[in-house]
Amino acid sequence: MTLEQLLSELNEQQRMAVTTDQAHCLVLAGAGCGKTKTIISRAAYLIAQGLPARNVQILTFTRRAASEIVTRVEQYLGESAQGLRASTFHTFCISLLRRHSKALGLGQFTVIDRDDQVMIFRLLRGKGKDNALPKAAQLCDIYSFARNTRCKLSEAIEKLLPEVINQKQQIAEVMKAYEVRKHRSGFFDYDDILAVVATHLHQSPAFLASVVQQHHVFLVDEMQDTNPLQWAILEPLISHSQIFCVGDDAQSIYGFRGADFENIHRFKSHVPNATVYKLEKNYRSTQQILDVSNWLLGQSEIAYNKSLVAHRKTQSTPQFHLFSNEFEEASWIAQDIYTRHHDNNTSWHEHMVLVRSAYAARHIERAFIAMSIPYRFIGGAKLLESAHVKDVLSMLRVVINVKDDIAWMRFLTLWNGIGDVGASKIALHMNTYTSLTECCDYLASKVNKIPTQAVDGLRQLADLTTQVETCMVLAVGLLTAQLEEKYQQDWSKRQKDFKLVEQLASKHQHLAQFLEEYVLEPISIADVKQAIVEDIVTLTTIHSAKGLEENVCYVPHLSVGFYPHARTQGDFDAVEEERRVLYVALTRARHELILTKHESVSWSYDLQDDQGRHVSGYFLNDFPSDLVDVKVHQRTSMNHGLQKASANGVKKISFDLDLD
């Protein structure tokens, strides 16, 4: 396809954004309005105008989106698109750190994931019945939120866990110890990767000059999901490179990670002479489906100024089914999909079910299994985060970084006779060595619980780091006996995962690159298996559904206490993010939208916060009955109209943790 053909497929709003000569732009693109097509077309347009592809950097939030954008640009332009880069913020930043490691004074470092962070916090927090500190996972959440939002530690505690604010000083001591532990072991966590790059972009003119010399244009996808730390990376680039951002403020649903959708609302004040374009013509859904999502946004006190209009003229009124309990609700969804497939000859893959969480999916999964409905769950276990896979990866990690004491502890405790205390002492001793040979010599002479074959295997792995698949096969073989004993209850199931990991390993040229990529961007088991089995139903969490769409979409559990979730009651910002979560779910449907709810409670009190803002207790309190076709599956007092009851109710800039 030529560029002219590509541009001819765009509507007037899209074409204006794609062909603009403005340096800095924000494209506000509603759900289904061609956001991805616009960013692809912009990249293709710039390259066709003579900008070398290697000077364009696309920043996305998922590996899948990055791959899709590059592939489609290459399909349009052919060889001239070679060299185009698309990656997540973390992958982009790690590439800069690796490329400029000497200039930035970085030594050898290993990227650790959340599980590793939690393990460190668990060790530092200590045990004991009288230990009142937050749990390790909570400490990790507080730490990461403070880093990503660039707020004080006390503010992060007040936001996430206000009941422990009186323990702020003790928490601060744990945070300090955590950072010391990272530095000693050569660890970088996710937040470090962004913070180090942001710091040097702001404080090192030479580093900034090197980055903008390579990257003349930045195209940023899902701008509404950026957090203050990510914005700090973009900010110094504005004076030197072009910034073209695409996003939808109504789809900002990652506030718990520190995402700030106000980055969109403040764009023009942050970026001098920026131009804003709007895309409001929806190519995905019918107007009746959009009427429901438009109504939902219209009930908010936040001025989204968004009313999507369907390009298609197809008529399709959404359905709303009411059940007495969640078991009947799940059973009906499974039965409906089964009937559509067997009686109407509809493919399995044309159906998608969107749930709040993996826990919320449990009854639907049971119903699918009972009716032999093939499905994949998106938002569940990440392949390389599974315990048995991480056990094997620990052996590979110490080959790359001998000071990785977390990996050493995991590897050592696989062997009978080595407990946590013993493993900790050995791991600390390993920190005194600088080479794997020294470590292996120590293990061979001092640690008789580890077989000679395993120690020799470590030496062999050190010579095979450019043969990643071979490393994986060798490590699995050396540890199979230990793993089979540890996971004997479901070993046959777990063992199959290693074939998938070997499949991923075969795509990489170096062991360090393989380990780093999947720590930064974990891949789900469903994603790996998808290429093998295509015709299956998609069951997904809403937070994993962005970018997805399907012909028939089911949104279950539209009950009081679910939308908004009970834990957000009275919190205006949290409730409004819940509204956006539901909006994302509603806008995934192409042809049919099927809503379901259970339980007899049909309304909830609304409140007013201390600023006088209306805080919804249940989004469907005033849901207009003429927007949907309602069916009650059991005689009940539920009323879909839902009565409402209300009650008043080089400047020195730091991207490190502020312990205040």
Side-chain angles (χ1 to χ4, degrees), residues 86 114 186 220 259 342 360 432 434 457 475 501 531 588 636 645 651-652:
R114 177 179 165 80
V220 184
H342 288 283
T432 64
T434 58
V501 180
R588 300 306 97 194
T636 176
K651 178 180 178 182
K652 183 64 176 177

Side-chain angles (χ1 to χ4, degrees), residues 107-110 112 120 180-188 394 397-409 426-436 438-439:
Q108 183 187 51
F109 65 87
T110 296
I112 58 173
I120 297 172
V180 169
R181 179 68 175 268
K182 281 193 302 178
H183 180 73
R184 187 189 73 200
S185 300
F187 291 154
F188 270 29
S394 69
R397 280 173 52 175
V398 299
V399 172
I400 299 301
N401 179 8
V402 297
K403 293 187 180 296
D404 188 340
D405 52 350
I406 295 297
W408 273 120
M409 287 186 64
I426 298 170
L428 286 174
H429 193 79
M430 294 303 187
N431 265 269
T432 64
Y433 297 129
T434 58
S435 72
L436 186 63
E438 291 176 297
C439 295

Side-chain angles (χ1 to χ4, degrees), residues 56-75:
V56 178
Q57 174 66 52
I58 302 169
L59 295 172
T60 71
F61 277 81
T62 66
R63 179 193 291 106
R64 181 178 61 203
S67 176
E68 177 188 1
I69 291 170
V70 171
T71 299
R72 287 175 60 180
V73 174
E74 289 176 345
Q75 288 172 347

Side-chain angles (χ1 to χ4, degrees), residues 121 124-125 133-134 138-140 142-143 146 152-157 164-181 657-660:
F121 276 116
L124 297 173
R125 175 189 180 275
L133 283 172
Q138 294 172 317
L139 290 170
C140 188
I142 292 169
Y143 176 86
K152 295 179 179 179
L153 177 59
S154 55
E155 293 170 341
I157 296 172
V164 300
I165 189 61
N166 62 326
Q167 296 176 279
K168 182 249 174 183
Q169 192 56 47
Q170 299 98 302
I171 293 172
E173 292 301 321
V174 175
M175 300 299 179
K176 290 178 186 176
Y178 169 72
E179 299 206 322
V180 169
R181 179 68 175 268
L657 178 66
D658 186 340
L659 293 170
D660 191 359

Side-chain angles (χ1 to χ4, degrees), residues 501-513:
V501 180
E502 290 165 14
Q503 180 182 325
L504 295 176
S506 66
K507 301 176 182 179
H508 295 270
Q509 275 77 51
H510 197 280
L511 185 58
Q513 177 200 28

Side-chain angles (χ1 to χ4, degrees), residues 254-465:
Y254 295 102
F256 61 93
R257 295 181 188 168
D260 183 5
F261 79 104
E262 291 292 347
N263 279 342
I264 280 184
H265 293 175
R266 294 190 290 259
F267 190 82
K268 288 200 74 172
S269 62
H270 283 174
V271 184
N273 304 315
T275 302
V276 177
Y277 297 94
K278 283 191 174 185
L279 308 183
E280 296 180 308
K281 185 172 287 187
N282 179 285
Y283 291 86
R284 176 185 298 158
S285 308
T286 65
Q287 188 59 53
Q288 289 89 341
I289 292 173
L290 296 180
D291 287 343
V292 175
S293 59
N294 286 340
W295 173 85
L296 179 68
L297 284 190
Q299 301 303 299
S300 173
E301 288 202 7
I302 297 175
Y304 291 103
N305 299 318
K306 196 184 305 292
S307 184
L308 301 183
V309 178
H311 173 73
R312 297 162 50 198
K313 303 304 179 185
T314 311
Q315 301 293 306
S316 173
T317 303
Q319 303 173 33
F320 199 174
H321 295 261
L322 312 180
F323 301 89
S324 60
N325 59 63
E326 57 189 327
F327 302 101
E328 293 179 8
E329 180 183 31
S331 178
W332 181 86
I333 291 172
Q335 182 65 57
D336 191 58
I337 294 174
Y338 185 91
T339 301
R340 288 168 179 269
H341 177 74
H342 288 283
D343 294 357
N344 302 337
N345 220 18
T346 306
S347 299
W348 292 119
H349 72 260
E350 295 182 54
H351 307 87
M352 179 160 63
V353 184
L354 298 113
V355 294
R356 292 297 308 266
S357 64
Y359 182 77
R362 67 197 188 285
H363 295 303
I364 295 171
E365 287 197 87
R366 288 170 188 158
F368 282 175
I369 292 169
M371 299 195 70
S372 300
I373 294 175
Y375 72 96
R376 60 170 176 155
F377 180 61
I378 301 177
K382 302 298 184 183
L383 181 57
L384 272 69
E385 291 178 353
S386 303
H388 54 297
V389 176
K390 293 196 73 172
D391 287 340
V392 173
L393 296 184
S394 69
M395 189 174 192
L396 303 180
R397 280 173 52 175
V398 299
V399 172
I400 299 301
N401 179 8
V402 297
K403 293 187 180 296
D404 188 340
D405 52 350
I406 295 297
W408 273 120
M409 287 186 64
R410 189 166 198 129
F411 170 72
L412 291 166
T413 52
L414 288 173
W415 307 98
N416 294 332
I418 302 180
D420 290 341
V421 175
S424 181
K425 291 179 180 178
I426 298 170
L428 286 174
H429 193 79
M430 294 303 187
N431 265 269
T432 64
Y433 297 129
T434 58
S435 72
L436 186 63
T437 299
E438 291 176 297
C439 295
C440 289
D441 289 343
Y442 176 81
L443 293 177
S445 62
K446 301 294 185 182
V447 186
N448 58 14
K449 302 293 185 182
I450 301 178
T452 302
Q453 184 182 9
V455 177
D456 290 342
L458 280 172
R459 299 182 196 273
Q460 190 176 354
L461 286 169
D463 297 324
L464 296 171
T465 54

